[in-house]
Amino acid sequence: MSEINSSPENKSSEKNIPSHFIRQIISDDNLSGKWEKRVHTRFPPEPNGYLHIGHAKSICLNFGMAAENNGLCNLRFDDSNPAKEDIEYVESIEEDVRWLGFDWDNRMYYASDYFDQLYEYAEQLVRMGKAYVCELSSEEVRKYRGSLTQSGINSPYRCRTIEENLDLFRRMKAGEFPDGSKTLRAKIDMTSPNINMRDPAIYRIKHVSHHQTGDKWCIYPMYDFTHCVSDSIERITHSICTLEFEDHRPLYDWFLDELNAYHPQQIEFARLNLTYTMMSKRKLLELVNLGIVSGWDDPRMPTICGLRRRGYTPEAIRQFAEMIGVSKKESMVDIGVLEYCIREDLNKRANRAMAVINPLKVIIENYDDSIDDELDATNNPENLEAGTRKIKFSKEIYIERDDFMENPPKKFYRLAPGREVRLRYAYFISCKDVIKDENGEITALICNYDPASRGGSSPDGRKVQGTIHWVSATHSEKIETRLYNQLFTKEDLSNIEEGKDYKDYLNPESMQLVNIYAEPMLKNAKAGDRFQFERLGYFCVDSKDSSENKPVYNRIVGLRDSWAKIQRKAE
Ligand code: ATP
Ligand code: MG
């Protein structure tokens, strides 16, 4: 997994050319008439956590393949493990899938809808002599199972009669036995090289309520049995899942063949791994529970609700899913690809604005502050329909501290003593003097402006090297803003060294709180509004911590496109 994939797999975006192997399989099936041209997929989350960007890949693939082929895609909750599941997760998943732009019409199902049918199928296996009630403890089961190099040993309960098994299984269902005392197991082959085939459990006893079925059941079907039977009941054609289920496919085949049930085709693809990004639901839950992040929707989280709150758009995420492609080979995608997609999307959609993060005061000595000077600024040079706005100029302005150097190197093209720069949409200014406090810290600059350069155009053809952003010190508003960095400092979190924990790689600088000085109109923005702050990046008004006329901004992404640079270098 060491190879980082920075180049999109589907370079060909020509219409009608399948650009990944799953598109190809579906198009071949449509040609051969294998499913009578039916394409019916499903997205099958377990409601035990919030969805993340990896799930988004699967959602876009399943709903996308169905849509491209005039097919259907179900939303199905694989809810066979009530102890870890919660209705809160069900609701968040619905919201996230819808927000991504997909619709399941009235086809929202729960695997628990099929518990009666699953039970029937299990009894059928018992009656066929293909399943038995086992009383080994979980520890004993592990011991009997063997290993990759050692074959397993038959359970002493394996040769029970059908009548005995049926009686015990029914009594399991009736609640006669405590948790963990018995399981129903498929009778397959304890010597199979595939450990999944060594008499896997089909049902376990769990005296817990279920968020959908309440107290109706005290036995619950195992995931592997539930999943393939649910796909079969829903008459799924292409059962798309991640690579780790390849080894489970023979078991799914066994169940469906033995039960003589409808049999979808399973297709495995490599899950999404992203640099610097934790993709395990269990660990994301831990980050929430330990208070390391403020919740599932903390804008640093790779969850869909976290990305949404940060300011990501569904269009950018769908574009990302298309760009990274689908393959059978495990790889690691550069987080820069995701950032590239949101920049591309917002470049056309987000209006520009000016704000200063780290202010340095500039006093314009020859400016007469008694005039009311309003300048025209373009809202979006990429979309002229977005129009223009007025911004006030004044004698005292703020610029970024970084945009001034007292002793600049040759290639520094911004402000320095004796040098001239353009203030965006305003005037040329040149630096006359530097004011310092008793510690030698620069507190302000004294500058002159050229009235003839109004609007930022050169009056006489003379050139300035740099253009910098600014805000009026008198008119600007101070606004709370959060700058984000990766939550982790380690590139490949799927590969943690012995003796280390993923939490050892938390980035202590993942969030920086600042007060920016901003154009006044930024104070009136509403939750979810997005802007490009010139030269600083894309920002979004936080949906949780903002109130009327008191927005809090999240930086979605900076402007520097590191990924595009990597691309250019590679070419
Ligand atoms: P769990 O360990 O809880 O099963 P999971 O991430 O597999 O975690 P599911 O709810 O089972 O969560 O996932 C729903 C669907 O999303 C599955 O079909 C799964 O294969 C797919 N999926 C999960 N993670 C990724 C990923 N990183 N990339 C692509 N698809 C993924
Ligand atoms: Mg899973």
Side-chain angles (χ1 to χ4, degrees):
M1 184 147 339
S2 54
E3 183 190 323
I4 294 182
N5 183 358
S6 311
S7 64
E9 245 159 69
N10 318 334
K11 288 218 164 110
S12 115
S13 58
E14 284 168 67
K15 289 243 159 66
N16 304 325
I17 297 181
S19 51
H20 57 67
F21 77 101
I22 296 183
R23 266 199 185 112
Q24 184 68 57
I25 290 174
I26 293 177
S27 121
D28 291 349
D29 287 349
N30 283 342
L31 275 178
S32 73
K34 178 170 175 187
W35 303 102
E36 287 146 352
K37 298 206 171 156
R38 230 165 33 89
V39 175
H40 199 152
T41 57
R42 82 288 173 265
F43 174 63
E46 196 183 333
N48 61 355
Y50 280 65
L51 298 179
H52 55 57
I53 184 72
H55 297 115
K57 172 174 180 170
S58 175
I59 294 167
C60 291
L61 182 58
N62 278 295
F63 280 93
M65 287 305 98
E68 269 179 43
N69 293 284
N70 286 320
L72 301 171
C73 181
N74 299 353
L75 174 62
R76 182 180 72 239
F77 293 100
D78 265 348
D79 57 348
S80 56
N81 188 6
K84 293 199 167 154
E85 296 163 5
D86 198 290
I87 195 78
E88 173 193 350
Y89 300 133
V90 169
E91 287 165 2
S92 75
I93 290 169
E94 285 182 66
E95 182 183 0
D96 289 348
V97 175
R98 225 176 245 130
W99 178 77
L100 278 174
F102 300 108
D103 188 13
W104 51 88
D105 299 318
N106 56 354
R107 294 179 317 281
M108 185 176 107
Y109 304 116
Y110 292 91
S112 54
D113 297 342
Y114 313 134
F115 279 178
D116 286 321
Q117 174 75 66
L118 281 155
Y119 179 82
E120 281 307 311
Y121 274 148
E123 272 209 1
Q124 192 178 323
L125 289 173
V126 173
R127 282 195 301 270
M128 290 162 67
K130 298 285 180 177
Y132 62 98
V133 173
C134 181
E135 289 172 43
L136 292 177
S137 68
S138 56
E139 208 170 301
E140 289 166 325
V141 167
R142 217 168 300 134
K143 261 204 329 243
Y144 277 71
R145 189 184 293 138
S147 66
L148 284 174
T149 50
Q150 215 176 16
S151 96
I153 305 166
N154 284 350
S155 159
Y157 303 99
R158 200 176 200 258
C159 47
R160 277 182 158 143
T161 62
I162 289 176
E163 289 67 36
E164 198 181 352
N165 281 318
L166 209 50
D167 173 59
L168 284 170
F169 185 44
R170 288 177 178 167
R171 287 166 61 195
M172 278 169 68
K173 180 186 176 225
E176 284 188 33
F177 309 116
D179 286 8
S181 60
K182 293 180 175 52
T183 54
L184 182 73
R185 296 175 68 178
K187 198 191 251 183
I188 310 180
D189 179 6
M190 290 304 292
T191 66
S192 169
N194 183 341
I195 292 181
N196 293 307
M197 301 299 274
R198 295 185 189 169
D199 292 9
I202 310 177
Y203 264 90
R204 61 202 184 292
I205 304 175
K206 246 186 195 175
H207 290 266
V208 294
S209 299
H210 187 286
H211 51 98
Q212 299 303 319
T213 56
D215 292 323
K216 178 171 176 193
W217 298 90
C218 63
I219 56 171
Y220 290 99
M222 300 301 288
Y223 177 85
D224 276 339
F225 183 55
T226 313
H227 182 76
C228 61
V229 168
S230 301
D231 276 350
S232 168
I233 292 173
E234 292 179 15
R235 299 184 69 78
I236 298 304
T237 54
H238 303 84
S239 169
I240 301 171
C241 63
T242 38
L243 281 181
E244 70 271 24
F245 292 102
E246 199 161 15
D247 289 346
H248 297 234
R249 178 152 35 98
L251 176 58
Y252 300 164
D253 290 344
W254 186 89
F255 281 135
L256 298 179
D257 289 346
E258 292 295 334
L259 294 167
N260 198 18
Y262 171 92
H263 203 142
Q265 176 184 359
Q266 175 165 304
I267 308 168
E268 305 88 8
F269 70 98
R271 60 172 48 231
L272 168 67
N273 296 294
L274 259 187
T275 57
Y276 302 103
T277 305
M278 174 48 70
M279 214 72 100
S280 148
K281 263 199 255 179
R282 193 172 54 77
K283 289 175 183 156
L284 293 176
L285 174 63
E286 190 178 42
L287 292 176
V288 173
N289 286 341
L290 293 175
I292 291 170
V293 293
S294 65
W296 285 100
D297 66 350
D298 186 300
R300 292 166 295 179
M301 289 280 270
T303 48
I304 302 200
C305 56
L307 292 166
R308 173 163 68 232
R309 188 169 161 201
R310 174 92 165 245
Y312 271 81
T313 60
E315 289 83 357
I317 295 175
R318 292 201 304 263
Q319 177 60 26
F320 171 71
E322 192 60 40
M323 253 174 109
I324 56 175
V326 182
S327 97
K328 278 239 178 228
K329 199 173 127 233
E330 285 279 356
S331 73
M332 173 72 71
V333 173
D334 193 317
I335 183 79
V337 180
L338 181 62
E339 294 176 345
Y340 168 83
C341 290
I342 186 67
R343 274 191 208 99
E344 283 287 293
D345 186 30
L346 292 184
N347 183 36
K348 293 181 208 86
R349 299 210 279 171
N351 280 355
R352 275 46 170 177
M354 289 202 286
V356 169
I357 291 179
N358 189 11
L360 173 60
K361 185 170 273 186
V362 171
I363 301 160
I364 301 169
E365 209 173 44
N366 62 339
Y367 187 79
D368 173 4
D369 222 6
S370 66
I371 52 169
D372 188 18
D373 195 3
E374 280 196 328
L375 301 155
D376 288 314
T378 307
N379 282 333
N380 187 349
E382 301 289 324
N383 170 22
L384 293 177
E385 281 173 20
T388 61
R389 69 185 184 285
K390 301 279 185 199
I391 37 180
K392 298 229 186 214
F393 197 71
S394 62
K395 190 175 180 79
E396 294 195 356
I397 62 168
Y398 292 123
I399 64 167
E400 288 304 335
R401 219 156 246 281
D402 286 356
D403 283 336
F404 175 79
M405 273 185 97
E406 199 172 9
N407 299 298
K410 250 209 161 122
K411 294 235 153 135
F412 186 79
Y413 296 129
R414 291 161 280 164
L415 201 57
R419 293 211 191 154
E420 190 172 48
V421 289
R422 174 190 291 108
L423 295 176
R424 181 90 159 135
Y425 304 122
Y427 298 99
F428 288 9
I429 58 168
S430 54
C431 179
K432 266 184 69 184
D433 214 351
V434 180
I435 301 176
K436 295 183 182 173
D437 63 12
E438 60 277 15
N439 304 317
E441 284 272 343
I442 300 174
T443 55
L445 305 176
I446 306 292
C447 292
N448 271 338
Y449 86 118
D450 179 354
S453 63
R454 194 165 194 281
S457 54
S458 178
D460 51 9
R462 79 176 184 272
K463 290 221 162 63
V464 288
Q465 295 269 29
T467 299
I468 63 175
H469 63 277
W470 57 277
V471 292
S472 157
T474 1
H475 303 98
S476 59
E477 297 276 1
K478 222 167 151 179
I479 301 180
E480 196 182 321
T481 298
R482 303 156 180 159
L483 307 177
Y484 296 109
N485 263 314
Q486 308 305 351
L487 194 49
F488 292 94
T489 54
K490 189 172 165 51
E491 196 166 71
D492 183 355
L493 287 160
S494 66
N495 185 13
I496 305 278
E497 298 94 274
E498 282 270 314
K500 288 271 195 184
D501 182 79
Y502 75 99
K503 293 192 289 302
D504 295 336
Y505 300 103
L506 279 164
N507 181 2
E509 287 163 17
S510 59
M511 176 166 70
Q512 192 192 346
L513 297 176
V514 292
N515 279 309
I516 58 165
Y517 290 83
E519 273 184 55
M521 63 103 175
L522 290 175
K523 191 141 184 174
N524 307 322
K526 302 273 173 299
D529 284 354
R530 301 181 185 88
F531 297 91
Q532 184 198 97
F533 292 175
E534 301 220 12
R535 298 176 68 224
L536 298 178
Y538 291 97
F539 291 72
C540 180
V541 179
D542 191 86
S543 53
K544 244 189 183 166
D545 298 331
S546 305
S547 48
E548 177 107 7
N549 291 325
K550 202 166 174 294
V552 174
Y553 280 87
N554 294 325
R555 175 146 73 181
I556 310 169
V557 66
L559 286 181
R560 200 174 56 94
D561 189 349
S562 54
W563 181 65
K565 250 178 232 157
I566 297 168
Q567 284 289 99
R568 275 197 294 276
K569 234 185 276 165
E571 278 162 17

